[in-house]
Amino acid sequence: MLNKEDNRRLAQLERQLRRDDPDFCARMAGGHLSRRRVPVSLILAATVVWAAALILAVVGWWAAAIVSGVWALVIMVAIGYRLRGPKLVLPDTLPPNW
């Protein structure tokens, strides 16, 4: 049985190891790194909506062009959100830092 100081030190070492090498910790804990892939259809949709916004702006339908541009921006933000780094999924949590 570990005393309070040993538990605190062990938790600190675990946090440092998870920060330094999350792949190793995921393998040892049985978790996995979830990679988010961006569907090609999402990129195609963004391209089509951007093209539609440009065409509508050239034709002079400004309200429709603005709406299309906003939707294209929303799709691009969704793509950026999905392209962020991998999210580490671990089965357990660490105790708080004392």
Side-chain angles (χ1 to χ4, degrees), residues 6-8 17 23 29 31 41 44 54 65 67 72 80 86 90 92:
D6 291 337
N7 278 332
R8 185 194 65 75
L17 182 60
D23 293 336
S41 61
L44 182 62
L54 289 174
V67 171
L90 295 174
D92 59 341

Side-chain angles (χ1 to χ4, degrees), residues 8-69:
R8 185 194 65 75
R9 180 70 179 140
L10 181 61
Q12 182 181 9
L13 288 171
E14 287 179 19
R15 277 191 295 276
Q16 182 179 357
L17 182 60
R18 286 187 186 194
R19 214 176 10 254
D20 294 343
D21 195 358
D23 293 336
F24 172 76
C25 291
R27 287 192 307 271
M28 291 296 112
H32 63 282
L33 282 174
S34 65
R35 297 238 3 118
R36 298 179 181 152
R37 294 184 55 197
V38 177
V40 176
S41 61
L42 193 59
I43 296 172
L44 182 62
T47 305
V48 168
V49 173
W50 274 117
L54 289 174
I55 290 170
L56 290 170
V58 168
V59 171
W61 294 346
W62 293 105
I66 291 171
V67 171
S68 297

